[in-house]
Amino acid sequence: MAEDSVLLREGLTRLLTDRGHHVVAGVGDADGLIETIGDLAAQDDLPDVVVADVRMPPTHTDEGVRAAVRLRRDHPGLGVLVLSQYVEERYATELLAGNSCGVGYLLKDRVAEVREFVDAVVRVAGGGTALDPEVVAQLLGRSRKQDVLAGLTPREREVLGLMAEGRTNSAIARQLVVSDGAVEKHVSNIFLKLGLSPSDGDHRRVLAVLTYLES
């Protein structure tokens, strides 16, 4: 857990431990995060996921996300979930580039929705994605100007946005008030139009979201 606000750091730690999760360590700056993860890796005790603030000391600009990108590069199996006060598109894009597994970007307001926050931590720890709806809205909004999504229908864009948030087909169906079969058809069409073949395996959901980011 990397957060320079002691109150928020302790609060997030308590929130997770109360729900049966073990928080290995809490640090207040990016250097401490990198050092701690390095020590744990050396002991072959790497955690499943790191939760880190985007802005951390000393400049409170991008130290947290820089550390997150470095950790994803140095430890590919480590999940990284970053928290931000605002939607910062370039940070989200930088974090999502490259390895498509075990990454999340949430606004801090989302922490107040305890169940969603904990679910996001668990999902990222398991190799999935968790993107804040506001982040998805901005990224998809930018992408609509690009050819990569030109072939998607409005409904398919909507489904893609919900996929980017980490929702399952069943959850998407409930959100859109349609059948699971209808969602499966939309998802299949998205994969087809974005050129993602079955050989891409289970990561096609993540690749579908990353396709427009990397175009």
Side-chain angles (χ1 to χ4, degrees), residues 77-95:
L78 177 67
V80 174
L81 173 63
V82 300
L83 303 177
S84 180
Q85 193 69 40
Y86 311 101
V87 178
E88 300 179 87
E89 186 178 312
R90 73 182 177 90
Y91 293 158
T93 302
E94 184 174 6
L95 184 67

Side-chain angles (χ1 to χ4, degrees), residues 75-210:
H75 309 284
L78 177 67
V80 174
L81 173 63
V82 300
L83 303 177
S84 180
Q85 193 69 40
Y86 311 101
V87 178
E88 300 179 87
E89 186 178 312
R90 73 182 177 90
Y91 293 158
T93 302
E94 184 174 6
L95 184 67
L96 289 165
N99 183 7
S100 60
C101 303
V103 62
Y105 188 111
L106 296 181
L107 295 183
K108 287 187 175 180
D109 288 348
R110 201 67 55 188
V111 176
E113 301 172 22
V114 175
R115 181 175 178 180
E116 287 192 23
F117 171 69
V118 175
D119 286 348
V121 173
V122 172
R123 192 157 62 243
V124 171
T129 57
L131 301 183
D132 195 282
E134 292 297 322
V135 175
V136 173
Q138 284 205 20
L139 294 177
L140 286 178
R142 181 198 68 182
S143 298
R144 289 193 184 101
K145 302 174 183 176
Q146 302 175 0
D147 291 340
V148 69
L149 295 186
L152 299 186
T153 66
R155 177 62 94 180
E156 287 165 355
R157 290 193 187 103
E158 191 173 11
V159 170
L160 177 56
L162 293 171
M163 286 168 57
E165 292 173 24
R167 298 176 187 259
T168 64
N169 284 2
S170 295
I172 293 173
R174 289 193 298 272
Q175 177 74 18
L176 300 180
V177 194
V178 297
S179 68
D180 286 2
V183 173
E184 290 173 6
K185 183 176 180 180
H186 288 312
V187 171
S188 294
N189 287 338
I190 290 169
F191 290 158
L192 180 63
K193 292 178 179 180
L194 295 183
L196 299 173
S197 68
S199 63
D200 291 313
D202 294 337
H203 300 320
R204 284 196 298 173
R205 296 181 75 87
V206 179
L207 292 173
V209 177
L210 293 179

